[in-house]
Amino acid sequence: MANETLSKGYEPADVEGRWLDYWKSHQSFTPDAAKAAAHPKDNYSIVIPPPNVTGALHMGHALNITLQDIMCRFMRQHGRTVLWVPGTDHAGIATQNVVERKLLAEGKRREDLGREAFIERVWEWKEDYGGRILNQIRRLGASVDWTRERFTMDEGLSKAVREVFVSLYEQGLVYRGKYIVNWCTRCHTALADDEVEYAPAKSTLYHLRYPLEDGSGSVTVATVRPETMLGDTAVAVHPEDERYQDMVGKFVILPLVGRRIPVIADAYVDREFGTGCLKITPAHDMNDWELGRKHGLEAIGVIDDKGRMNDNAPEKYRGMSAAECRTLIVEDLEACGSLVSEEPYENKVNQCYRCKTTIEPFVSEQWFVSVKPLAEKARAAVEDGRTTIWPAQWNKTYYNWLDNIRDWCISRQLWWGHRIPVWTCRDCGEVIVARQDPTACTCGSSNLAQDEDVLDTWFSSALWPFSTMGWPEKTHELAAFYPTSLLVTGFDILFFWVARMMMMGLQFMDNVPFKDVYIHALVRDEHGKKMSKSTGNVIDPLQMIDKYGCDSLRFTLTSFAAMGRDIKLSEARIEGYRHFINKIWNAARFALMHVDGNEPEFDPSSLTGLHHKWILHRLEVLKKEHAAQIEGYRFNEAAQGLYGFVWREFCDWYLELIKPELYGEDQAAKAAARSCLKHVLSEIMVVAHPIIPFVTQEIWSCIPALDAESLSVRPYPKARPECEDEGAVRDMEFLQGVIVAVRNIRAELGVAPGIALSVLVRAGGEDQAFLAAHETEIAALARVGSLTAAPDIEPPKGCASAVVRGCELFVPLAGVVDFVAELARLDKELGKITKELDFVTKKLGNESFVSKAPEDVVAKEKAKAAEFAEKKAALEQLRAKVQEFVG
C-alpha cells in the first residue's frame, strides 16, 4: 500500500480512510493471546470505557480515546504486546427511554407490545444505531482490536453477570429487602445514590406548629415539603438541647391527620438549624429512614411510585400530585392555625441523571449488594499502591466516597437489561437463585416466576475488565492481560464505575482491575463554560475531523491535556494545529524531493556540519524527553515538545541550513546531508506516530527503502549516545543568535527582504573564526551581503546594534533606511494610537459607564486600553532609537 510520492496538499479524508481500512483488514492490532500468556510481564492492556449505545461521540470521548490510543501505540513501539478491547454498554435506562420515545411517536407504549416484543424492538434499535458510536471511535484512529469487540449484553458477558450475582448471593452479599431508594417517577425505577444529580432550586421553607398532646405547649418544625408531613411518625430534638429536654418522651398531635407521634432525642439533630426540632418521615427522606430504623418508627408512605398521594393520605388529598397537594396543605395548615410562617429558601433538588425528573425517596422491595466489605478492599488497593490514581488529588474523593458508602441498590424496574436470575415458585413460595434457568422447584412444581426487575447497568459494567476477556472461563486473555495496565476515564464516573470495578475485580479475580487510573479533565468551551446543546457551545468532534482532519483534532486535545486542568477548546485552536500538520506534510515533501533510497547508510561519525550535529543532539533529547512525558501521562508536554522540535528546530532551522548542501555541487556533502535528513525525518515520524498516526503513517510509507507499511508497530527509535553533543548546541545557539539579531533589526526598522545588509561583529579568537566559517549560513538565513568579524571593529555612525554571546553586532543603516521618513511614519502611528488610547481611557474613567455596562463589555475595553498602551510604548521606544540615528 506504499505511495511513491506525497501529493501537493495533505488530504486527510483520503489518507485516514485508506489506513483505517488497512489496519482493520490486516488485523494490525490483534495480539496472539496464547503467545502473550507465556510472557504476561511484557504485555499491556486497556479496556475501553464502553460508551452507551444511545450516544454520539462528544469531545470528552474524543479526548478519552485519543489518550488511550497514544498509550497503546507508544507501548507497541516499546515492544509490549498490547490488547485494547473495544465495546459498548447497553445503558439500561437511557436506551429504554430512547426506544420508548420512538414508540410514542408511533402512538404506542411498551405495555402495548409486551415485554418480549419490546425487548426485540430494543435489540433492533441497538443493531441499527449501536454501531454508530463504534464507527465514530474508529474515525478517531483508535488502534483497538476489532476482533474482540464486546457488548455488555453479549452471551459471554451475560454469563459473567449471572455468575457474579449468584456468587454474591451465596456469600450473603446480595440480599432482597424493603429499603428507601431514590425513585424516578418518570422512569419508574430505583436509582443508586450516584445516579442522582443535584440542581439548585428556589424553594419555600414552611414553619409548622405541632401541639403537644397534653396541652402544655407546642413544637415548631421547618420543612420545604409540607406534603410529606402526612407521613410523619416522630419529632426529633437534640438530647442536649435544654429547650426541649422536658418534652422528650411526650407526644404531639400531627395537624390535619390527628395522629399522635412521639418526641424523640437523637444527636443527629442540628440544634442551630431552624428551631432545633426535626420532623421525621421515614418513608420519604433518606436520613429519616435511618433514624426511623434506629428508633423503631413506622414508615408510612403517603406518595406512590407515580409521585401521587396514595391511600395513606387523608381522602381529600388522594390522587393529587405532590406539588398540587403541597399547595392545598399549606392552605389547610394556615386555616387551622398550624402554619407559623414561610420564607424563601435556596436548596438543592435531587434529580434523575437521565430525565431530570425530581427524585422521590420511596420505600420498596429491591435487591442490594452489601458493599462495605468490598469497599474496604477497594480502598486498601489504592492506599497500598496496587492501583495508582493520576492525578493523586482524586485519592481523597475516592476514599471519602468509599468510607461513606451505602449498600448498592442493584435492581431496576426496567425491561431492558440483565434480568435478575431469581425465580419464585408460585406453588410453595421457594426462592431459587440459579446460574441456569431452572425448570422446576424442589417441590416438583414447574410453576416458576422470574423476578421482573433487571440489574443496574453499572453492575455489568463493573465486570468489564475481566468479563470482556472471557471470565468466568479461564482464557489466554485473562492469563496474559489481566490486570489491565491503565484506565482512562472522567472524574464523573469515579464512583459509578471505577470504584465498582475495583470492588468486583478484587472480589472475583483476587487482583485489582487496573494498575493505573488516569482521570482526564473536562473539555470546556474557549471561555471555560461546560459544553451543552442548550447553551449552543458544543463542538462536534466528527465535524472537526471532517473539516480539519483527525490528526489536527488529536494533536489539539493532546496539547491541552495537562493533568488536573480543564481544557478550553475552540475551533480556532483546532484550525491552528491543522497548520502544524500541514507543516509536517510540507517538510516531508521537501525532504522527499532529495531522498530516493540511494543515500549512504546513516553514520553520525561521518557528519561534520554543525547543523547536522546540532539536530541529531536535539533529536536525542526529544526522544528521551518525549518517552518520559508519555510514560508519566504528561501528554501536553509531549505534544508541545514535539511541536517545538518539528516547527522551530527541524523546519525553521535545519531545513534552511541544509539547503546549500542539498543544492550544492559538493557530492560528498550532499550525500551526507541526504542521509542525515532521511534519518531525522524517519525518527520524527516514529516519535510523533502515537499522537498523529495518519499523517505520520502516510509520510512513512513514502520514505524510500523503509519498511513502508509497519509504522504502527515500528520500534521506538533507540538511543544514540554518540549523537549527543553539547558543544554543537552552544555553537548553534551563537549562530542562531547572530541570525536572529539581524532579522530583528530588519523587521523592527522595516528593511525590505530584498536588501542585503552589511554586518560588522566585534569579535576575536574562536568567535571570529566561527563567524568566518559560517558566513554562508548567516548570509543565506539573514539576507546578509557581507559579514566582517574582527576584534577592533569601529562601527560607522547610524548603526543598529545588538549583543550576542558577548560579541557586539552592528548593522550600518545609512542608505538603507530613510530616517526622516521613518520618523514621520512613527509620528503618524503614535498620533493615531494615542488618540485611540485617550478615547478608551476616557470611557473607562466614566463611572456611569463602568457601573452600568455589562462586565464583559468593561473587560473588553480594559483589554483594549492595555493593548493600546503596550503598542504606544513600543512605538515610543522605536522612535527614540531612530532619533538617535538622525543625531
Side-chain angles (χ1 to χ4, degrees):
M1 187 173 160
N3 291 330
E4 293 182 1
T5 60
L6 293 179
S7 60
K8 186 174 181 180
Y10 178 53
E11 299 295 338
D14 172 60
V15 171
E16 290 164 16
R18 281 190 290 104
W19 286 110
L20 286 172
D21 290 342
Y22 176 87
W23 289 329
K24 187 172 183 180
S25 64
H26 285 73
Q27 295 189 1
S28 300
F29 311 120
T30 299
D32 185 327
K35 287 183 179 178
H39 306 282
K41 290 184 179 179
D42 297 334
N43 303 330
Y44 188 88
S45 59
I46 294 180
V47 289
I48 204 167
N52 295 348
V53 289
T54 58
L57 195 72
H58 57 66
M59 275 301 172
H61 287 127
L63 172 64
N64 188 294
I65 296 298
T66 297
L67 299 184
Q68 290 177 80
D69 192 48
I70 289 170
M71 294 306 303
C72 288
R73 290 180 184 271
F74 178 79
M75 289 301 172
R76 289 188 193 99
Q77 290 180 333
H78 285 78
R80 309 284 287 276
T81 301
V82 175
L83 172 64
W84 186 11
V85 178
T88 49
D89 194 300
H90 67 279
I93 294 176
T95 306
Q96 180 159 315
N97 282 348
V98 168
V99 178
E100 284 195 69
R101 284 197 295 270
K102 194 174 175 67
L103 284 175
L104 197 61
E106 302 171 10
K108 299 176 184 177
R109 299 178 309 136
R110 63 182 165 111
E111 289 80 6
D112 298 330
L113 273 68
R115 185 166 190 147
E116 288 188 15
F118 175 76
I119 290 174
E120 285 180 16
R121 284 291 294 267
V122 181
W123 275 108
E124 288 172 10
W125 186 92
K126 183 264 176 186
E127 293 305 315
D128 288 343
Y129 292 89
R132 294 187 182 187
I133 190 76
L134 292 173
N135 183 58
Q136 292 166 357
I137 289 171
R138 181 175 179 268
R139 289 284 309 276
L140 271 167
S143 58
V144 299
D145 180 2
W146 291 110
T147 69
R148 288 183 168 91
E149 178 190 326
R150 305 308 299 267
F151 177 55
T152 49
M153 286 180 65
D154 282 349
E155 183 179 344
L157 273 71
S158 296
K159 182 178 181 181
V161 167
R162 184 173 287 196
E163 175 63 33
V164 166
F165 182 93
V166 175
S167 295
L168 290 173
Y169 179 82
E170 291 171 346
Q171 296 166 38
L173 295 174
V174 161
Y175 64 91
R176 180 166 57 182
K178 283 203 168 185
Y179 203 83
I180 192 166
V181 295
N182 303 295
W183 185 265
C184 177
T185 56
R186 155 65 181 79
C187 299
H188 295 112
T189 187
L191 300 175
D193 289 346
D194 41 22
E195 292 173 314
V196 176
E197 294 181 346
Y198 302 93
K202 292 185 177 180
S203 305
T204 300
L205 186 65
Y206 300 93
H207 294 262
L208 312 179
R209 181 184 292 111
Y210 289 10
L212 284 160
E213 182 186 38
D214 62 9
S216 61
S218 63
V219 296
T220 300
V221 299
T223 181
V224 294
R225 299 197 63 196
E227 69 276 12
T228 65
M229 65 163 290
L230 303 175
D232 284 359
T233 54
V235 171
V237 297
H238 195 282
E240 297 175 6
D241 193 331
E242 295 178 357
R243 294 172 293 176
Y244 305 112
Q245 284 182 345
D246 293 343
M247 295 184 183
V248 176
K250 291 186 177 183
F251 289 84
V252 296
I253 303 300
L254 189 61
L256 307 181
V257 179
R259 185 168 65 246
R260 65 197 291 267
I261 60 177
V263 178
I264 63 173
D266 197 286
Y268 168 79
V269 179
D270 182 357
R271 286 178 285 182
E272 307 304 320
F273 178 75
T275 62
C277 297
L278 185 68
K279 64 186 280 301
I280 306 300
T281 320
H284 295 289
D285 183 274
M286 299 293 185
N287 296 315
D288 290 4
W289 170 264
E290 296 298 339
L291 285 172
R293 293 210 299 178
K294 180 178 178 181
H295 293 276
L297 302 176
E298 185 181 3
I300 301 174
V302 294
I303 301 173
D304 67 16
D305 62 351
K306 294 180 179 62
R308 296 192 168 273
M309 308 308 292
N310 64 17
D311 290 347
N312 289 331
E315 188 173 355
K316 68 182 297 186
Y317 306 122
R318 293 173 191 170
M320 289 183 173
S321 70
E324 292 168 341
C325 182
R326 183 180 307 169
T327 301
L328 183 56
I329 275 188
V330 169
E331 293 175 1
D332 292 347
L333 287 168
E334 186 173 21
C336 72
S338 293
L339 179 63
V340 177
S341 64
E342 54 186 276
E343 60 183 277
Y345 186 70
E346 292 187 3
N347 63 335
K348 290 183 178 180
V349 175
N350 299 355
Q351 294 180 338
C352 172
Y353 79 115
R354 282 298 175 194
C355 68
K356 311 307 177 187
T357 299
T358 299
I359 290 297
E360 185 64 58
F362 184 69
V363 178
S364 64
E365 191 166 64
Q366 302 286 346
W367 287 95
F368 295 87
V369 174
S370 180
V371 292
K372 283 286 185 184
L374 305 180
E376 289 169 2
K377 293 180 183 178
R379 191 190 203 285
V382 172
E383 278 186 311
D384 63 24
R386 280 174 286 163
T387 292
T388 303
I389 298 177
W390 301 73
Q393 68 195 52
W394 289 107
N395 284 353
K396 185 177 179 181
T397 308
Y398 175 82
Y399 295 148
N400 185 61
W401 188 76
L402 288 174
D403 290 343
N404 296 281
I405 197 169
R406 296 197 315 164
D407 282 359
W408 176 15
C409 177
I410 57 171
S411 47
R412 297 289 181 270
Q413 289 64 53
L414 303 170
W415 286 356
W416 172 245
H418 291 280
R419 190 89 173 261
I420 290 178
V422 176
W423 291 258
T424 302
C425 178
R426 290 193 180 99
D427 292 331
C428 73
E430 182 179 345
V431 174
I432 304 168
V433 180
R435 291 172 174 81
Q436 303 293 330
D437 291 6
T439 56
C441 177
T442 53
C443 72
S445 171
S446 59
N447 189 14
L448 306 179
Q450 187 174 0
D451 195 300
E452 293 289 324
D453 291 350
V454 300
L455 288 164
D456 176 14
T457 300
W458 299 103
F459 189 90
S460 51
S461 298
L463 319 182
W464 190 248
F466 53 91
S467 64
T468 52
M469 296 186 192
W471 187 91
E473 305 302 324
K474 292 183 177 180
T475 64
H476 290 305
E477 284 81 0
L478 283 170
F481 298 110
Y482 190 93
T484 64
S485 307
L486 172 67
L487 175 74
V488 179
T489 187
F491 69 86
D492 51 334
I493 54 175
L494 186 58
F495 316 132
F496 280 108
W497 192 43
V498 178
R500 287 170 178 163
M501 284 191 287
M502 290 286 284
M503 293 179 197
M504 293 302 183
L506 287 161
Q507 185 71 10
F508 290 94
M509 295 297 297
D510 199 27
N511 204 342
V512 294
F514 22 71
K515 295 169 186 173
D516 282 352
V517 178
Y518 179 85
I519 306 291
H520 65 72
L522 286 176
V523 183
R524 300 181 179 274
D525 73 8
E526 60 186 310
H527 305 295
K529 294 179 180 177
K530 186 177 180 180
M531 290 187 187
S532 68
K533 291 181 180 177
S534 59
T535 308
N537 62 348
V538 170
I539 301 175
D540 187 321
L542 291 183
Q543 289 180 6
M544 295 300 99
I545 290 173
D546 290 339
K547 198 168 181 179
Y548 302 112
C550 181
D551 286 333
S552 301
L553 175 63
R554 285 174 60 119
F555 198 86
T556 305
L557 292 170
T558 309
S559 293
F560 290 98
M563 197 181 297
R565 192 166 70 228
D566 287 350
I567 294 173
K568 292 181 180 180
L569 186 68
S570 67
E571 183 173 342
R573 283 179 165 169
I574 301 169
E575 183 180 17
Y577 280 116
R578 180 184 62 176
H579 299 319
F580 175 61
I581 303 303
N582 288 338
K583 186 81 170 179
I584 293 174
W585 183 263
N586 292 331
R589 285 191 75 242
F590 170 80
L592 294 176
M593 290 168 57
H594 301 279
V595 171
D596 59 11
N598 295 313
E599 300 76 32
E601 186 175 346
F602 175 69
D603 178 10
S605 65
S606 68
L607 298 170
T608 57
L610 170 62
H611 50 298
H612 297 316
K613 293 180 178 181
W614 167 75
I615 197 68
L616 291 174
H617 174 91
R618 293 299 304 143
L619 180 61
E620 289 306 306
V621 172
L622 172 73
K623 285 152 52 176
K624 191 181 300 182
E625 291 182 347
H626 189 83
Q629 288 155 350
I630 297 292
E631 288 170 350
Y633 307 125
R634 303 194 306 276
F635 298 105
N636 62 313
E637 294 178 23
Q640 291 302 325
L642 184 64
Y643 181 94
F645 178 83
V646 171
W647 194 298
R648 290 188 289 273
E649 297 180 307
F650 181 66
C651 294
D652 288 356
W653 287 103
Y654 183 67
L655 292 186
E656 295 303 317
L657 289 165
I658 203 176
K659 284 178 181 177
E661 292 170 330
L662 294 176
Y663 294 115
E665 300 300 324
D666 187 333
Q667 295 305 312
K670 181 184 290 189
R674 291 169 61 227
S675 174
C676 187
L677 177 60
K678 178 181 175 181
H679 170 76
V680 176
L681 177 67
S682 62
E683 290 208 340
I684 288 173
M685 293 307 103
V686 182
V687 171
H689 182 71
I691 301 177
I692 44 176
F694 293 108
V695 69
T696 52
Q697 176 69 79
E698 183 72 1
I699 292 169
W700 178 269
S701 70
C702 294
I703 300 176
L706 290 183
D707 184 2
E709 296 175 353
S710 63
L711 182 55
S712 61
V713 291
R714 184 78 177 181
Y716 195 78
K718 67 179 182 179
R720 294 178 179 270
E722 68 273 20
C723 290
E724 295 180 16
D725 189 338
E726 293 290 350
V729 173
R730 288 191 295 273
D731 287 344
M732 180 56 74
E733 285 175 353
F734 184 36
L735 179 63
Q736 289 171 325
V738 172
I739 293 168
V740 169
V742 177
R743 285 175 174 176
N744 287 345
I745 291 169
R746 182 187 291 276
E748 195 174 62
L749 296 171
V751 179
I755 297 176
L757 298 174
S758 296
V759 176
L760 309 172
V761 184
R762 187 178 289 154
E766 291 182 1
D767 289 340
Q768 181 182 2
F770 179 86
L771 292 169
H774 294 280
E775 183 175 355
T776 302
E777 292 98 314
I778 295 169
L781 271 65
R783 304 285 178 91
V784 171
S786 66
L787 173 69
T788 304
D792 54 354
I793 287 287
E794 288 298 331
K797 185 178 179 181
C799 284
S801 63
V803 178
V804 181
R805 202 168 75 176
C807 300
E808 293 179 90
L809 181 147
F810 306 97
V811 178
L813 298 173
V816 176
V817 177
D818 185 338
F819 296 122
V820 175
E822 182 65 9
L823 279 174
R825 184 189 71 80
L826 290 171
D827 285 338
K828 186 178 179 180
E829 283 287 310
L830 274 167
K832 183 181 176 183
I833 201 73
T834 301
K835 188 176 180 180
E836 290 174 329
L837 178 58
D838 288 345
F839 178 78
V840 177
T841 303
K842 187 176 180 181
K843 186 186 286 189
L844 290 170
N846 184 336
E847 290 185 16
S848 177
F849 167 75
V850 175
S851 60
K852 294 179 180 178
E855 282 186 27
D856 61 329
V857 173
V858 176
K860 284 180 182 177
E861 292 301 312
K862 287 181 178 178
K864 273 188 197 176
E867 181 186 345
F868 292 154
E870 185 179 352
K871 190 172 181 181
K872 182 182 178 183
L875 286 169
E876 288 174 338
Q877 186 177 6
L878 181 56
R879 192 192 184 287
K881 186 179 291 187
V882 174
Q883 185 66 54
E884 288 179 12
F885 297 145
V886 175

